[in-house]
């Protein structure tokens, strides 16, 4: 055990002290904050200011004021200004560029009184597109005006119809114990945990393989094996690199959370919606529905056993990492260069990829047969069981899955050790999967 600890210590300290470790650990949160800043900057970017001419032959978007001037019902933005015209469309098309307009929004004659007609076409003529944001506003305004006219033609109560739109249905899910469950929140938690597990296994499992390959090709491993057994070296490297991964993830997590909070507070004062947009957004949001969803989310969080969820995540993280890292270590010991690793790594990555796709289905159907069996199989349970946990898993299933994961780790480590002790000192031979199978039965 003392020799294994020395290997763990060497692997951990050697990698943590590298400039590449410090650089990548700091680069992730810095990249995160830069992407957030760019996103906010792009949101607040209005683009070049342009004038749009409106020719409305139905008086949906324009109306005549008392002083004889035409008023556009669409509010201007900082980048787009609208102006109405009564000139024929042919003359406007011939002169709009000379008059300084970027384009013409043309509403041709429409049969608004036809009760069976629900599709209407609007034309925008310009050299450059208007943009999706402005287009959506225009379509919404036209839709509102057509709806308003038809309601008035039918002599219907507009306020009553507006009140009908406030109707909502609260979909509350409760467990047999009466606890409130938010499927959307459980879905996010389950998918997030499973995806994080997938990334961790792929990144740090590959790191184990690369580390063993480097020491094998540089012949350092021959010196190390003169004082300890191959199994001790393999376990020490797996645990040491795993500890590096946990350290890096912890530092990145703390940095990201801190920077996100600080940047959110700083940026909140710089993002403001125009008055018209803010009022429209406030009217469109059903505050009662939002309040109900928030309340259901908080009740779901309070009903989830957070300590058990954290314990299960860490357990499956360690179990999944150890299983796949052992397999990656076996592959790293058997090859001399990266070109050979593709064929041997494929059988290892296939179960991870399949598990990831199964996880996408499982978070939507957490109690299905597929969810149960995939959460029991040791190669898929590190992704599937954490994804099922927020939805509630019977204790016997969780215990059985953990026991099978431990058994899978013991078996996988035994197989990897057999391959490792043979392949680590073998050079210049192209290894196939069939050859690896033969190594399992060597008695050396």
């Amino acid at each position: 055990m003392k020799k294994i600890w020395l290997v763990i210590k060497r692997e951990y300290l050697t990698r943590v002290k590298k400039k590449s470790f410090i650089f990548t650990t700091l680069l992730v949160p810095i990249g995160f904050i830069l992407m957030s800043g760019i996103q906010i900057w792009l949101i607040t970017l209005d683009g070049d200011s342009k004038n749009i001419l409106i020719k409305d032959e139905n008086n949906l978007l324009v109306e005549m004021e008392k002083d004889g001037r035409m008023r556009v019902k669409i509010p201007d933005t900082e980048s787009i200004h609208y102006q109405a015209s009564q000139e024929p469309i042919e003359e406007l098309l011939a002169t709009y560029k000379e008059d300084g307009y970027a384009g013409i929004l043309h509403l041709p004659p429409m049969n608004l009184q036809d009760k069976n007609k629900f599709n209407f076409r609007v034309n925008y003529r310009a050299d450059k597109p208007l943009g999706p944001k402005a287009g959506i506003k225009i379509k919404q305004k036209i839709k509102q005006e057509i709806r308003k006219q038809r309601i008035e033609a039918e002599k219907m109560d507009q306020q009553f119809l507006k009140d009908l739109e406030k109707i909502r249905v609260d979909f509350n899910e409760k467990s047999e114990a009466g606890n409130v469950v938010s499927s959307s929140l459980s879905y996010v938690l389950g998918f997030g945990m499973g995806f994080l597990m997938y990334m961790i296994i792929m990144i740090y499992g590959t790191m184990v393989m690369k580390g063993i390959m480097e020491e094998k090709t540089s012949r350092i491993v021959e010196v190390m094996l003169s004082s300890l057994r191959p199994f001790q070296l393999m376990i020490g490297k797996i645990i040491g690199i795993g500890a590096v991964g946990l350290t890096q993830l912890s530092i990145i997590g703390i940095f990201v959370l801190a920077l996100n909070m600080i940047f959110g507070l700083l940026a909140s004062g710089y993002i403001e919606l125009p008055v018209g947009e803010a009022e429209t957004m406030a009217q469109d949001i059903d505050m009662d529905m939002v309040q109900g969803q928030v309340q259901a989310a908080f009740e779901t969080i309070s009903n989830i056993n957070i300590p058990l969820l954290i314990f299960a995540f860490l357990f499956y993280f360690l179990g999944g990492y150890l299983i796949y890292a052992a397999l990656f270590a076996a592959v790293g010991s058997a090859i001399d260069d990266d070109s050979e690793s593709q064929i041997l790594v494929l059988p290892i990555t296939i179960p991870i990829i399949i598990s990831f796709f199964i996880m996408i289905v499982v978070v939507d159907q957490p109690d299905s047969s597929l969810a149960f069996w995939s959460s029991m199989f040791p190669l898929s349970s590190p992704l599937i069981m954490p994804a099922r946990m927020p939805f509630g898993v019977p204790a016997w299933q969780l215990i059985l899955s953990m026991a099978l994961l431990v058994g899978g780790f013991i078996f996988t480590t035994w197989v990897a050790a057999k391959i490792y002790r043979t392949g680590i000192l073998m050079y210049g031979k192209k290894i196939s999967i069939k050859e690896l199978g033969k190594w399992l039965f060597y008695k050396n």
Side-chain angles (χ1 to χ4, degrees), residues 168 170-174 178-186 286-304:
R168 64 184 179 89
D170 292 328
F171 190 74
N172 295 325
E173 299 180 67
K174 290 189 177 182
N179 297 328
V180 178
V181 178
S182 173
S183 295
S184 57
L185 180 62
S186 300
D286 190 336
M287 297 307 298
D288 291 335
M289 182 181 65
V290 173
Q291 185 177 359
Q293 292 176 345
V294 172
Q295 183 179 357
F298 275 109
E299 290 183 9
T300 300
I301 293 175
S302 64
N303 292 327
I304 293 176

Side-chain angles (χ1 to χ4, degrees), residues 98-269:
E98 298 176 0
D99 295 337
Y101 293 100
I104 300 176
L105 180 64
H106 180 216
L107 280 70
M110 304 176 185
N111 186 4
L112 303 178
Q113 306 306 320
D114 187 354
K115 298 180 181 180
N116 297 319
K117 185 174 179 59
F118 298 96
N119 296 324
F120 302 91
R121 182 180 295 276
V122 177
N123 301 317
Y124 179 70
R125 306 290 294 274
D127 293 336
K128 297 181 180 180
L130 180 62
K133 187 176 179 181
I136 291 173
K137 287 183 180 180
I138 292 171
K139 288 189 290 185
Q140 288 178 343
K141 189 62 178 179
I142 294 174
K143 182 178 178 181
Q144 290 174 3
E145 294 298 324
I146 293 175
R147 182 175 179 274
K148 181 180 178 181
Q149 287 192 19
R150 289 196 172 180
I151 291 174
E152 291 176 351
E154 295 294 327
K155 297 181 180 180
M156 301 174 69
D157 188 348
Q158 293 192 33
Q159 185 59 42
F160 175 72
L161 293 174
K162 189 175 181 180
D163 292 340
L164 287 178
E165 296 178 357
K166 297 180 180 179
I167 294 176
R168 64 184 179 89
V169 177
D170 292 328
F171 190 74
N172 295 325
E173 299 180 67
K174 290 189 177 182
S175 64
E176 294 181 0
N179 297 328
V180 178
V181 178
S182 173
S183 295
S184 57
L185 180 62
S186 300
Y187 183 95
V188 171
L189 287 174
F191 186 85
M193 292 174 64
F195 182 76
L196 182 60
M197 190 76 69
Y198 169 80
M199 295 299 297
I200 289 171
I201 290 174
M202 290 296 293
I203 292 173
Y204 294 104
T206 305
M207 190 181 295
V208 171
M209 182 185 70
K210 297 289 186 182
I212 291 176
M213 286 177 55
E214 290 172 1
E215 291 188 351
K216 179 180 178 179
T217 53
S218 63
R219 304 287 180 129
I220 296 176
V221 69
E222 297 178 8
V223 179
M224 298 177 69
L225 288 177
S226 63
S227 58
L228 71 163
R229 296 168 57 189
F231 178 78
Q232 294 173 325
L233 177 60
M234 185 187 74
I235 292 296
K237 292 187 73 66
I238 291 174
I239 297 176
I241 294 176
V244 173
L246 282 174
T247 303
Q248 191 171 39
L249 288 174
S250 300
I251 296 173
I252 290 174
I254 293 172
F255 264 93
V256 168
L257 288 175
L259 290 174
N260 190 32
M261 292 177 61
I262 296 172
F263 194 77
L265 292 173
L266 293 175
S268 60

